[in-house]
Amino acid sequence: MTIRPLLIAATLVAALLIGFALYRRGGHGTADPVSWASEFQRHDELVARLEGARRRDEAKRGLAAEVVAGRMTVPEAAEQFRRLDDATSDDPPRHPGHEQDFRREVLDWAWALLRDQRRYAAAARWYAATFAAHPELVPGPPTGHRFHAAWAAVQGGCGQGDGAGLDAVSRAGLRRLALGWLREELEAQRRWVAADPEEARRFRFGGLGRWLWDPDFIGFNLADILAGLPAGERQEWQQLWADVAETLARAEGTTPPEPKAGDKRPHPER
């Protein structure tokens, strides 16, 4: 979510555009003072806006860190997000009716922070506490928050990041959290597909397809990991993937794909 590369690129592009505009307006090198002033003003305004956006993003990341550390609640951070946007945006202010949008944005920033630090187990525990404190953030249409929570729990539950120091029981608990969240998200996706199949298809079923193709699940060799799990847990995961494939196929009007030789996707047993 950093904006620094964008700021640098925009500055370079603006400089090139100024030179080109002056070349055209000034008649092959004859400088037009009005054109010079106008183009430099536009450049300065663009740089100022991008710098303001960078500072706003840094402030939001700092607020998200306070939430993760338990020094600020999600609603408190959401209110600060609203004030930041109102102070730095030309758009009409978003007032209390959009508080859920700001609260979900706080979750997005908190997730980015924890993911970048590879604190997967901590992220899973933080999501569990946040969902319990703010259940209104997860029901309804798919939002991606449950998927992020499950992604973190899978990583931590398989010993990645801060999950490396956990014992087998703790890792199994994280995988159980992940399975539960993915089940809940799948049900939300199914309701969405049933209510509006065309809209769901247009947005690729809210990202449901990435469950089977996301490199952080598949590239992570989840199929190999499942092979080492207790039979009961392995069956539950295999059934989940079967249900995901069936939901996608039903929405597309096709049948679930057959596994191919060398395919690492965790297909269900047949």
Side-chain angles (χ1 to χ4, degrees), residues 1-3 6 48-64 80-91 94 102 105 109:
M1 291 189 177
T2 179
I3 200 169
L6 181 61
R49 288 168 68 91
L50 289 171
E51 177 62 19
R54 183 190 66 79
R55 291 178 179 175
R56 181 185 63 210
D57 285 355
E58 286 184 350
K60 287 184 176 181
R61 187 177 180 87
L63 290 167
Q80 293 300 316
F81 275 33
R82 183 187 67 77
R83 292 180 180 179
L84 283 167
D85 282 3
D86 288 352
T88 59
S89 174
D90 294 332
D91 296 330
R94 288 188 292 170
F102 287 111
E105 188 181 357
W109 278 96

Side-chain angles (χ1 to χ4, degrees), residues 133-182:
H134 304 284
E136 74 281 358
L137 293 175
V138 288
T143 63
H145 294 304
R146 273 185 300 234
F147 180 80
H148 290 156
W151 186 94
V154 165
Q155 297 286 327
C158 293
Q160 298 299 299
D162 59 350
L166 299 178
D167 58 29
V169 173
S170 298
R171 290 185 186 180
L174 288 176
R175 295 195 303 271
R176 174 64 57 185
L177 274 177
L179 189 63
W181 283 327
L182 289 174

Side-chain angles (χ1 to χ4, degrees), residues 208-248:
L208 188 59
R210 70 185 281 211
W211 292 24
L212 297 177
W213 296 103
D214 191 297
D216 291 308
F217 274 119
I218 307 311
F220 192 51
N221 291 327
L222 186 57
D224 292 340
I225 292 169
L226 292 180
L229 296 180
E233 185 180 353
R234 183 170 66 250
Q235 266 188 338
E236 289 183 277
W237 280 99
Q238 288 169 333
Q239 186 60 54
L240 171 69
W241 301 129
D243 293 342
V244 170
E246 189 273 335
T247 300
L248 283 167

Side-chain angles (χ1 to χ4, degrees), residues 1 4 8 28 47 55 66 78 82 99 113 116 144 162 188-189 198 205 207 214 236 255 261 268-270:
M1 291 189 177
R4 187 176 295 277
I8 295 172
H28 301 283
V47 171
R55 291 178 179 175
E66 292 295 297
R82 183 187 67 77
E99 63 182 11
L113 179 71
D116 291 349
D162 59 350
Q189 297 276 359
E198 289 303 317
F205 323 123
D214 191 297
E236 289 183 277
T255 56
E269 294 176 344
R270 296 180 183 274

Side-chain angles (χ1 to χ4, degrees), residues 179-195:
L179 189 63
W181 283 327
L182 289 174
R183 274 286 171 203
E184 291 172 3
E185 187 66 8
L186 177 59
E187 289 306 311
Q189 297 276 359
R190 282 176 162 175
R191 288 193 295 270
W192 190 38
V193 170

